[in-house]
Amino acid sequence: MTATTTTGTPGPDPSGPPEATRPTGDPPLLEVRNLTVTYGGGADAVPAVRGVDLRVEAGRKLGIAGESGCGKSTLALALLRLLPATAKLSGEILLDGEDVLTMKWGRLRAVRWAGASIVFQGAMHSLNAVHRIGDQIAEPILLHSGTTPTAARRRAGELLEQVGLPAARAQAYPHELSGGQRQRVMIAMALACEPRLIVADEPTTALDVMIQAQILRLIEQSVSDQNVGLIMISHDLAVLADTCDRLSVMYAGRVVEEGPAQRVYADARHPYGKALSAAFPRIGDPASRHAPRGLPGDPPDPAALPGGCTFHPRCPVALDLCATEDQVLRDAGAGRRAACVRMDASPGAPAAPAPPGPDDTRSTA
């Protein structure tokens, strides 16, 4: 059934973990089918997410990467119908087999935090400025568990200690905490009701390197110990490759590459994925440190997408047909797919050439 709803460290081992490509045989915790998100209507409609398919099993970790404006955060908010009223959603979002897009309000309210929770990108704007931190963490616990206020406050203190803050900080207001501390509070809130799925939108952006490592290990431990699923969104492909089992790369509202996270990071098949990976210098590689590769231009305006492959105006290896023919995901090797004409249907298809450096010229051959 399809529904339409309006809602208010060192580089990783290139071989990747063997289990990353093996299906578990279990039904997915989350399955997203042909999800589209459009803002506005009629001639002014702006497509933010265009036909995305995702699958996350319990105990597995999916990373989503891409530049700002590619639709990552819109996708994350759509999973729990947290978008504004101007957003129109279609497709299916199956959480434990139940379509989030067709849930009645009472059922949706019960699923949020307890069934699935989200770590929002902007902690300062997500926390209530006039309520103490402990009360905000305790609120979903009281709502979903039916425990006493005393037990909920005690649990809030335990969660703060889990994310590296003293329990006494439960009495603080958001403005009394640093940006990194506020982000840790958001992670504590996401873990409060022991959800089956955690969606983390840039969960470590405001944290220093040491705290970032602690938070990533905490998230990984929660996934392992509680058998929850994780969707982690980040610009940092190195973090995603180190943390996640699989990686999906988004561009202009679509997934353009997917596969085992370490393999996508080390040997991307789509030119955009390769450019993202090359933009990060690697420890022990002086060439990448002194001359990191960039990608010229900006992501397209969602309201005025180019014809054909939406990446072709920036692609260093585009062919003439890329300007006229849209590209779908193709087989790109074991457990991998890429939306590039240079992929063929046979396993082990050749990777796209590396994007040119700043002094190179664009190739169209």
Side-chain angles (χ1 to χ4, degrees), residues 233-247:
I233 296 171
S234 179
H235 296 89
D236 194 333
L237 267 69
V239 167
L240 293 178
D242 184 57
T243 305
C244 298
D245 304 306
R246 292 187 66 81
L247 177 61

Side-chain angles (χ1 to χ4, degrees), residues 108-128:
L108 179 63
R109 190 166 181 258
V111 165
R112 290 174 178 171
W113 296 112
S117 64
I118 184 167
V119 180
F120 295 101
Q121 185 172 0
M124 188 59 188
H125 304 294
S126 302
L127 293 169
N128 192 317

Side-chain angles (χ1 to χ4, degrees), residues 136-175:
Q136 297 187 57
I137 298 175
E139 182 179 7
I141 299 174
L142 287 167
L143 178 63
H144 292 283
S145 69
T147 188
T148 65
T150 300
R153 286 193 293 270
R154 182 169 58 251
R155 174 63 176 156
E158 293 171 354
L159 287 163
L160 287 174
E161 291 180 341
Q162 283 183 3
V163 297
L165 291 174
R169 298 302 282 168
Q171 297 301 311
Y173 289 96
H175 72 271

Side-chain angles (χ1 to χ4, degrees), residues 81 98 100 102-115 143-144:
R81 283 170 52 187
E98 189 176 1
V100 173
T102 61
M103 288 180 181
K104 295 185 180 295
W105 171 245
R107 175 59 181 156
L108 179 63
R109 190 166 181 258
V111 165
R112 290 174 178 171
W113 296 112
L143 178 63
H144 292 283

